[in-house]
């Protein structure tokens, strides 16, 4: 039997090697036939015209250039027939090298899922993977080979508009989600017709943009880079990510696009990444604006030397690389390496066997109309909703409520529910998107009367709609009030210096509060907002983000208790912008405040508390959970050993619910100052009313290790605090152990 198994393993590994070999051989054979110009063509990516996701730098005759083999990849072209048309042009080129079609399939294609930040609030890795899987299935049938996702940038600054696109502030949670998303997009293997290549972005530290202003500089220590910003990239790579995208920012003075340390030394060197790196849109040319390159030729030289393989839309490689090679400044082997990386992926995707295999109108028709996708989107959207307050137990609402007033500028919007980074499928009508109003209509019975008033716009100062809104509220038994920021107020180039509720929306809330009616406030946003008056005065608040095409259904599912909310915040919500950057895992200072009132020469603001408005990891349910029986399997753990932390969770309420149980650790004394706590594990569990479950976390050396001054990643012996809780602030149980040599 044993012999049999080893023989099989041998055969499997042989076939793996020979397959790999044959792709490498094919790549080499093809490379040998290519002229320098054709090679450079493979490194050149142009945008199509289905979407504009950046500033155009030039408008060459793309169709002729494709036929001449001068373009290797297109972004922003989509649709089975449309992509087929472009591929036909590539098939007219001398070597018939297929084009790669890339697109920002960030949180869904036709079926859209919650914004990635919102989805992160589900803490449900299976659901997140499924969301990416469905996005891959739909887009792959529509001719797309490659998504520019996941975005794995850690950010502690909600002013930065792109926080909507990532998994929030925490490196551990972000790394788990990065892994799940890559697995979802790429499926079992590249080349399967329902998979697309992932592109992990933006390498690196883009989320640390100074002042939260998009495209701004980043200044982080090498240790912070390794500790906070790089792990999600590594995790995505471990999940098999095929490609990486670099970033617009400079890191400690060197633009990421021209950053050899980041791309060659870390990614392709230390991490042995064998896929390819695409620049961000125009970022090679933008090194001129950075004052790092004097012209596009120098930018091309710096980028290719640093390890950027493909030039997205800056035309620097297209017009300068050949000259650089001829002048002997860039060796052809450098170009060959980049070309090989790209060709290898084209082979792995099966494009040389059939360049049209992803552009299949029949499959597209089937995949884009699969009711399973809609069902999953509804479930994931419900899981992403965070219940912030339910003080008067107004929620869940009864389906027998006589009159409900649904008020606010978001209520009847349809496409907006897609949120930022949704693909505008121009030929698909928007009727399938469920507005919040439609979701409510479908949920209640015939005996419930629904009233509507817009109240005000999102950003407009006009208050003329207030009266109608107050009238509606006065006629209602319950009011649902939907407010927030416009769906395109967060996203790329959407930084905000004040992150309050825009326009006169908070004034509308105040007016409605005066009616004395029970009011449920829904807040739609792509980032943590500041809404102190509402948070302090309104007893019922639900954070709904932008939830995608099933938003309306999912919101109603939660409002009426068909789904018991289970989301937890993946980012800290500040009290004011003045607290930013604010994050739960800050370092221990030499003068920590004893409490919120302590201002006596301690690290505090004289005009504000230190604590956030809502903490990382926070979120309520319609039921309650008791944490008990924290047990550590031992008091002392040796470095090569493991320790188990068990805890019992009981659903002490009256309905089925889910809880995200969070494990935090603190290294009490170390040779590098350590955070006050760090998330090291979590478990999302489902419990019926009255049910208890014991869960076990395993602590190993990796969970205790950190980057030292010399960047060595290792643990140090000493005492550790163990904290288990329902949020980063709501720690329910504590323990302690020693790590011995
Ligand atoms: C610029 C964005 O930074 C990047 O995330 C995106 O993938 C590209 N544009 C392509 O649209």
């Amino acid at each position: 039997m044993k012999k049999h198994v080893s023989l099989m393993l041998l055969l499997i590994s042989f076939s793996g090697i020979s397959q790999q070999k044959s792709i490498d051989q094919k790549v080499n054979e093809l490379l040998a036939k290519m002229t320098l110009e054709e090679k450079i063509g493979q490194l050149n990516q142009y945008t199509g015209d289905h979407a504009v996701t950046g500033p155009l730098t030039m408008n060459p005759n793309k169709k002729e250039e494709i036929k001449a083999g001068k373009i290797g990849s297109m972004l922003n072209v989509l649709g089975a027939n449309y992509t087929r048309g472009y591929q036909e042009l590539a098939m007219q080129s001398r070597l018939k090298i297929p084009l790669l079609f890339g697109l920002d399939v960030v949180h869904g294609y036709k079926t859209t899922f919650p914004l990635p930040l919102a989805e992160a609030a589900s803490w449900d890795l299976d659901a997140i993977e499924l969301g990416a899987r469905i996005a891959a299935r739909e887009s792959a049938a529509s001719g797309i080979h490659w998504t520019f996702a996941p975005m794995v940038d850690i950010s502690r600054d909600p002013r930065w508009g792109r926080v909507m696109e990532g998994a929030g502030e925490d490196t551990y949670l972000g790394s788990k989600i990065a892994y799940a998303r890559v697995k979802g997009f790429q499926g079992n293997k590249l080349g399967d017709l329902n998979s697309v290549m992932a592109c992990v972005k933006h390498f690196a530290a883009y989320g640390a943009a100074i002042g939260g202003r998009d495209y701004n500089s980043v200044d982080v220590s090498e240790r912070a880079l390794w500790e906070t910003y790089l792990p999600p990239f590594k995790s995505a790579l471990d999940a098999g990510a095929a490609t990486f995208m670099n970033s617009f920012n400079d890191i400690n003075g060197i633009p990421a696009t021209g950053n050899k340390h980041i791309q060659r030394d870390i990614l392709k060197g230390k991490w042995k990444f064998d896929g390819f790196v695409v620049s961000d849109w125009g970022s090679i040319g933008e090194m001129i604006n950075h004052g790092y390159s004097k012209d596009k030729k120098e930018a091309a030289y710096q980028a290719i030397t640093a390890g950027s393989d493909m030039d997205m839309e800056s035309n620097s490689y297209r017009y300068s690389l050949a000259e650089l090679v001829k002048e002997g400044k860039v060796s052809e082997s450098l170009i060959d390496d980049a070309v090989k990386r790209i060709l290898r992926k084209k082979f792995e995707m099966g494009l040389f066997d059939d360049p049209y295999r992803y552009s299949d109108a029949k499959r597209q028709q089937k995949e884009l109309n699969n009711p399973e996708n809609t069902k999953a989107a509804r479930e994931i959207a419900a899981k992403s909703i965070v219940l912030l307050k339910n003080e008067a137990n107004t929620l869940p609402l009864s389906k027998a409520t006589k009159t409900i007033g649904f008020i606010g500028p978001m209520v009847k919007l349809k496409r907006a529910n897609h949120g930022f980074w949704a693909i505008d499928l121009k030929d698909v009508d928007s009727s399938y998107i469920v507005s919040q109003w439609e979701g409510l209509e479908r949920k209640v019975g015939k005996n419930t009367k629904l009233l509507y008033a817009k109240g005000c716009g999102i950003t407009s100062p006009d208050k003329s709609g207030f009266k109608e809104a107050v009238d509606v509220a006065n006629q209602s038994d319950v009011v649902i009030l939907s407010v927030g920021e416009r769906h395109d107020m967060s996203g790329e180039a959407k930084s905000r210096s004040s992150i309050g509720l825009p326009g006169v929306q908070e004034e509308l809330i105040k007016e409605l509060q005066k009616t004395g009616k029970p009011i449920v406030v829904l807040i739609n946003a792509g980032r943590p907002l500041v809404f102190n008056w509402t948070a302090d005065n309104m007893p019922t608040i639900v954070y709904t983000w932008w939830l995608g095409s099933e938003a309306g259904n999912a919101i109603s599912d939660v409002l009426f208790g068909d789904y018991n909310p289970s989301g937890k915040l993946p980012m800290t919500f500040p009290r004011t912008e003045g607290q930013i950057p604010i994050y739960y895992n800050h370092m221990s200072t030499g003068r920590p405040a004893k409490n919120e009132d302590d201002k006596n020469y301690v690290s505090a603001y004289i005009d504000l508390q230190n604590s956030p408005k809502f903490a990382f990891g926070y979120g309520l349910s319609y039921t309650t959970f008791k944490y008990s029986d924290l047990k550590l399997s031992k008091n002392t753990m040796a470095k090569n050993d493991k320790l188990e932390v068990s805890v019992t969770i009981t659903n002490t309420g009256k309905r089925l619910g889910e809880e995200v149980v969070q494990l935090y650790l603190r290294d009490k004394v170390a040779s590098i100052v350590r955070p006050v706590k760090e998330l090291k594990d979590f478990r999302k569990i489902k419990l019926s009313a009255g049910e208890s479950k014991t869960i076990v976390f395993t602590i190993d050396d990796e969970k205790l290790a950190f980057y030292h001054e010399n960047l060595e990643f290792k643990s140090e012996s000493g005492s550790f605090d163990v904290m288990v809780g329902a949020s980063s602030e709501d720690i329910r149980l504590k323990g302690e152990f020693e790590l011995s040599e």
Side-chain angles (χ1 to χ4, degrees), residues 276-289:
F276 69 88
V277 179
V278 63
S279 80
D280 202 344
W281 180 297
S283 69
I284 299 181
E286 286 170 19
M287 291 200 291
I288 302 170
N289 291 342

Side-chain angles (χ1 to χ4, degrees), residues 88-110:
E88 279 167 359
L89 299 173
M91 290 306 109
Q92 293 172 43
S93 65
R94 188 179 79 91
L95 292 171
K96 300 189 181 3
I97 301 177
L99 289 168
L100 263 184
F101 297 118
L103 187 72
D104 293 286
V105 184
V106 173
H107 55 113
Y109 184 68
K110 180 191 170 206

